[in-house]
Amino acid sequence: MLRLESVSKYYAAPDRAIAVLDEVTLSIASGEFCALVGPSGSGKSTLLNLIGLLDRPSSGTLWIDGEAVAGCSAHESARLRNRLIGFVFQSFHLLPRLTAWQNVALPLQYRGVPRDAQRAAAEAMLARVGLADRTGHLPGQLSGGQSQRVAIARALVGAPRLLLADEPTGSLDSSTAQDVMALLAALNAELGVTVVMVTHDRELAASCPRQIALRDGRVLGSGSGTC
Amino acid sequence: MLIALPGIQARLGDTLAEAWSNLRSQGRRSALALLGIMIGTASIIAMLNGGHMAQRESLKLFAKLGVDMLQIGSAPTGDRPALLSQAAIDALARTDPDVIEAVPLANGRAAARTGGRTADIAILAAPPALATLANLRLAAGRHPAAVEECALSGVLGDAAARALSGPAAAVGPGSAVLIGGYGYTIVGVLAPVVPETLDPVDYNMAVLIPLHCARRIIPDGGPTGLLVRLRPGADTQAASERITARLATPDAKLTVLDARSILRTMQEQKAVHSRMLIWIGAVSLLVGGIGVMNVMLMSVMERQREIGLRAATGATPTDIRILFLLEAVLLTIAGGAIGSALGAAIAWVIAHSSGWDFALAPWTLALGPAAAGGMGLVFGLYPAITASRLNPIEALRAD
Ligand SMILES: Nc1ncnc2c1ncn2[C@@H]1O[C@H](COP(=O)(O)OP(=O)(O)OP(=O)(O)O)[C@@H](O)[C@H]1O
Ligand SMILES: [Mg+2]
């Protein structure tokens, strides 16, 4: 489903180029649930952004669903993100002026889905994450856990193949974090969506079927199957 | 770049609704940016409609006689009376290709007296053709056209008739009035006449008598002026030169009032004012446009996270460009609409204070929002492109 081959990312420093990701080779199968772990600054977010087509590798190749996507234009990348990828962020990133269902409907809007169908799909997805009674609320009226559920609904409403979550529980207290984690696991099992989740929480990481550890831009134990 | 992509039309409705709600949330800042757009549109709309009304008003000054009309008068150069040749005037219509009709006139003044009332009135002696040419309608009685021999009969103007009427005895057809010492019979009374630039006398305070009977009451009696109707679109300047050459006598100095030239002079004066107002309007629009660009740039900077999030959920750079462009256009169209209303109100004030009839040219009301929207498109482009070129990752990290 997802394959990276010798993917590197450099940032230009005053004197020399720093490799944030160094020849990362990795493959993730369809339906896998992976935790991406590593110390701060090891390149986890950078890797996730590359996979999410928000950024381009300095070198190397990336395949999603068999398509080589590293060289896509900004327009093509946007269309691919819209179709294949859902994002969940640590800080939720809900648009404050839109209601919960309108936030969830955003990916459908950029797909040209009619308004009524957008709303129906968004409300169904909100019901799936346990927020059937919050569809008309504004983000300011939701708790952190509820906000992250709305964000998860938004990431999944377009039935993507891949869910990328960068510290989705980083802003939540531990019991809410457990709930969100359980929700992600359930959705992974039910919908078959592939999940790659960055986390600093050892416990949460340990509960994932697969862990990918990064250090200084290199994959340590991509250890497929290691728990 | 902006339009020719599939699916955009389907998304346009959503984008429009969002653009609108974003603008509303900008509130006061949007309103400030609109000020320049509003002033610019208002002054352009006020100017265009002021011009429109001035045009209507100036045309009103030629409503009866039309603009293909000359009024020629003569003034004595020496001791001898400034008489024109009746034969030469009569020959004009036959011999000059641009002349349709030439009506000789003689005029004087006299005191009119009846029933103990006196009024100083003008005497206009003219052939029957004048009534048709100048579109003089009767309120009562008839024109003395049918009168063959020179009976002393005349048609009184509306104001003159009223000035001579007593509470008991109204002056009308059949009344006897002493004019310049001669006992005239009034055969008709004119309906009120709106004064025009080329009128030889104020018809309302005049008595009209047949030209061939003028000798009695007007010293020297012959024509001292004429009205000339020209072929529509004729070169009035050239025609007036030809005609004055034909009528020239050593005893008279001819003066020509040319409806078209008068109108042109009035319009040229107006055009100077219009140009000034257009410049004021254009400069305000420009300032407003720059203001809109500023507001939109600030909005882009403040909404970086939103832009990043939209990009992450699949908005293409084009989608983002359209969103911000639409906001700019909506903003300026709203400003243009308010400005148009303001401009129409100013036009009303202009009309009211100039004593004109208030009339709006409908196309100007559409022009206001359209021109403002155009400004939005032009000045919104740069912020929109800036937004669409943001790096999504940095945009998401912004605060
Ligand atoms: N735009 C950039 N320019 C230069 N260096 C960058 C840029 N973005 C990231 N880096 C560097 O790349 C390295 C990896 O950053 P990244 O955000 O991927 O780390 P991370 O593993 O997600 O860390 P954290 O756990 O703290 O989120 C860091 O050293 C960071 O300073
Ligand atoms: Mg990170």
Side-chain angles (χ1 to χ4, degrees), chain B residues 32-34 285-296 331 379:
Chain B
L32 273 177
L34 287 189
L285 270 185
L286 196 74
V287 170
I290 293 169
V292 165
M293 184 155 85
N294 242 322
V295 163
M296 291 311 296
L331 187 69
F379 286 95

Side-chain angles (χ1 to χ4, degrees), chain B residues 37 41 285 328-329 331-337 367-377:
Chain B
I37 296 280
T41 323
L285 270 185
V329 171
L331 187 69
T332 49
I333 284 182
L367 180 87
M375 296 309 276
L377 211 55

Side-chain angles (χ1 to χ4, degrees), chain A residues 5-25:
Chain A
E5 205 164 285
S6 308
V7 167
S8 301
K9 180 74 184 177
Y10 305 100
Y11 285 112
D15 43 352
R16 66 205 161 85
I18 310 169
V20 175
L21 288 176
D22 192 7
E23 302 273 327
V24 172
T25 297

